[in-house]
Amino acid sequence: MENVLGLVAVAAGVIIGLGALGACIGIGIMGSKYLEAAARQPELMNALQTKMFLLAGLIDAAFLIGVGIAMMFAFANPFVLK
């Protein structure tokens, strides 16, 4: 059973790591598209900026949900029988 604890720790690390990687890539792509759109049509910059910050918050929220799930598995592990 001690092997299960090690696998849960690895799984939690993978969940957090891949979530962080996905969030960073998503925010990077979104930021580059925002700059591209703002350069093409500067008069829409305020509307685009509002939408960009809303999407950045949603992307970060998805990552933090993954961190919460990983912490649940790490600290209140339902797979380890007592």
Side-chain angles (χ1 to χ4, degrees):
M1 270 303 164
E2 63 274 352
N3 194 16
V4 174
L5 244 84
L7 291 176
V8 169
V10 169
V14 168
I15 290 172
I16 293 173
L18 290 179
L21 180 69
C24 291
I25 290 172
I27 288 179
I29 290 172
M30 181 191 58
S32 70
K33 296 295 182 179
Y34 165 71
L35 290 176
E36 187 177 312
R40 289 178 188 261
Q41 294 183 337
E43 66 273 2
L44 293 178
M45 193 180 238
N46 289 333
L48 291 173
Q49 186 177 20
T50 303
K51 289 180 175 85
M52 185 193 71
F53 283 129
L54 178 67
L55 285 174
L58 291 174
I59 291 170
D60 281 341
F63 165 64
L64 290 176
I65 289 170
V67 169
I69 291 171
M71 291 298 120
M72 181 193 69
F73 284 145
F75 295 115
N77 192 356
F79 300 115
V80 176
L81 299 174
K82 297 194 179 183

